[in-house]
Amino acid sequence: MKKRMILPLIVIMLFTIIASACGNDASNNATSNSNQETAADTTSTGAAQEETTDTITYQSETGPVEIPAKPERIVALSNGPNILSMDVTPVGVDEWTAANPLFQDKLKDVAIVTDSDPESIAALNPDLIIAGSTAKNLEQLSKIAPTIVYTWGKLDYLDQQLEIGKVLNKEAEAQAWIDDFTKRAEDIGNEIKAKYGDNVTVSTIEIFEKEVFVMGDHWARGTEALYQAMKLNMPEQVKNDTLQEGYHSLSLEVLSEYMGDFVVVSRDMTRDNEIMKSTIWSNIPSVQNKHVIELETKAVTYSDPTTLEYVLNIFKEAFLGTTK
């Protein structure tokens, strides 16, 4: 009798064990499936997040432009020096940037491009194009790659650099340079005023062959550093006549009327200049006092950080006799 009872019990126990095992398998399978689905969802979400951070919307002066978050192949038809100053090398630059002696070492393997030849730009496979508002073929360029347009002079030299910082994903670096440069330049300006008086005046002219132009406070050639950052004064006649266009053409006969206590001369330093050998020139008081600071034109036609640091050191040495 006991043996008969034991057999059914064994059968019941085996059935219970098997049923339990099946239940655990089903539960494990369900958990595994659930984990796989969660992982898949997470992967999908991660991919979506990664995709959304591949580009940013840049608010340009012509409207929003979708650009790479970290552009790697930039064609700079304008603002090349601003880009180079942030340790980013474009794949193509305009001829004026390429000829600038301050950047030639960085541009040895960089193509020289022009807005007149969009095909050569397309051949560089750019992921971003930066151009001036007067550039040709802007519509065609925008079909090659996202294109940002800047109007020269619409932004001041500091805001322009900050905008380039945003484009390059280096806004904090751009702002740090702005804060540092403006402080150092103002300090140098204060030293100059302490040495020569608060009312000391500086004129900035460019001599091109037989023509002379006097510059306002935002026409490169070091003007942003002198008048905006260092806060030095320009003669009233210069201020009035450069107010609208930013520069003013001069005849040799009236040149002395526009000269300050100091004069900064932008010119081609590889050539002798007839104007600077003339009697009119030699009779200017600032010339007689040896208050003339000469700059190579090719190196100072931009207002980017590299150029501004370059001219600031020249001005510091010329005015104060000390280097950085």
Side-chain angles (χ1 to χ4, degrees), residues 4 17 254:
R4 290 179 184 174
I17 291 169
V254 300

Side-chain angles (χ1 to χ4, degrees), residues 67-94 97 107 109-113 120-131 144-148 150 163-170:
I67 66 172
K70 294 182 179 180
E72 296 179 350
R73 299 187 60 80
I74 302 172
V75 165
L77 292 168
S78 71
N79 299 97
N82 299 90
I83 297 167
L84 287 159
S85 294
M86 302 211 73
D87 293 323
V88 174
T89 303
V91 295
V93 296
D94 64 284
T97 301
L107 295 172
D109 300 317
V110 175
I112 299 175
V113 291
S120 66
I121 293 173
L124 296 173
N125 193 29
D127 59 5
L128 180 66
I129 298 171
I130 296 178
I144 296 171
T147 300
I148 294 173
Y150 292 112
E163 289 303 306
I164 293 296
K166 293 176 184 177
V167 169
L168 300 178
N169 197 29
K170 292 190 172 190

Side-chain angles (χ1 to χ4, degrees), residues 272-302:
D272 287 335
N273 189 274
E274 292 182 18
I275 291 174
M276 296 180 72
K277 291 181 176 181
S278 68
T279 303
I280 291 176
W281 179 262
S282 61
N283 285 333
I284 295 171
S286 53
V287 175
Q288 294 177 338
N289 293 330
K290 301 188 185 308
H291 286 177
V292 178
I293 304 167
E294 295 187 58
L295 303 174
E296 170 55 59
T297 296
K298 287 182 181 179
V300 296
T301 53
Y302 294 98

Side-chain angles (χ1 to χ4, degrees), residues 252-267:
L252 198 57
E253 290 72 27
V254 300
L255 184 58
S256 60
E257 299 173 19
Y258 289 80
M259 297 297 97
D261 300 312
F262 286 81
V263 55
V264 175
V265 182
S266 166
R267 70 181 186 91

Side-chain angles (χ1 to χ4, degrees), residues 130-304:
I130 296 178
S133 59
T134 59
K136 302 172 185 174
N137 301 306
L138 283 173
E139 186 175 350
Q140 191 172 348
L141 291 174
S142 66
K143 294 176 181 177
I144 296 171
T147 300
I148 294 173
V149 172
Y150 292 112
T151 299
W152 195 91
K154 189 169 186 176
L155 297 172
D156 71 26
Y157 72 108
L158 299 177
D159 286 338
Q160 181 66 76
Q161 189 59 30
L162 190 61
E163 289 303 306
I164 293 296
K166 293 176 184 177
V167 169
L168 300 178
N169 197 29
K170 292 190 172 190
E171 184 178 356
E173 286 182 39
Q175 186 62 58
W177 175 80
I178 289 169
D179 295 341
D180 179 59
F181 176 79
T182 52
K183 175 66 169 61
R184 284 186 290 113
E186 185 173 0
D187 288 345
I188 293 171
N190 289 335
E191 289 183 55
I192 292 169
K193 290 176 183 178
K195 183 174 181 177
Y196 298 102
D198 288 343
N199 296 321
V200 63
T201 57
V202 185
S203 299
T204 303
I205 66 171
E206 181 160 295
I207 300 176
F208 181 73
E209 296 181 352
K210 295 183 179 181
E211 293 183 283
V212 182
F213 302 89
V214 64
M215 309 298 176
D217 68 354
H218 60 279
W219 207 259
R221 285 81 175 168
T223 57
E224 289 86 357
L226 284 169
Y227 306 122
Q228 296 188 48
M230 298 164 72
K231 303 185 188 308
L232 298 179
N233 305 303
M234 64 178 68
E236 284 300 315
Q237 189 78 14
V238 175
K239 186 184 297 184
N240 293 336
D241 288 354
T242 61
L243 198 58
Q244 287 191 332
E245 292 187 341
Y247 69 95
H248 183 65
S249 177
L250 300 177
S251 65
L252 198 57
E253 290 72 27
V254 300
L255 184 58
S256 60
E257 299 173 19
Y258 289 80
M259 297 297 97
D261 300 312
F262 286 81
V263 55
V264 175
V265 182
S266 166
R267 70 181 186 91
D268 183 348
M269 304 277 277
T270 65
R271 305 162 99 186
D272 287 335
N273 189 274
E274 292 182 18
I275 291 174
M276 296 180 72
K277 291 181 176 181
S278 68
T279 303
I280 291 176
W281 179 262
S282 61
N283 285 333
I284 295 171
S286 53
V287 175
Q288 294 177 338
N289 293 330
K290 301 188 185 308
H291 286 177
V292 178
I293 304 167
E294 295 187 58
L295 303 174
E296 170 55 59
T297 296
K298 287 182 181 179
V300 296
T301 53
Y302 294 98
S303 306
D304 61 281

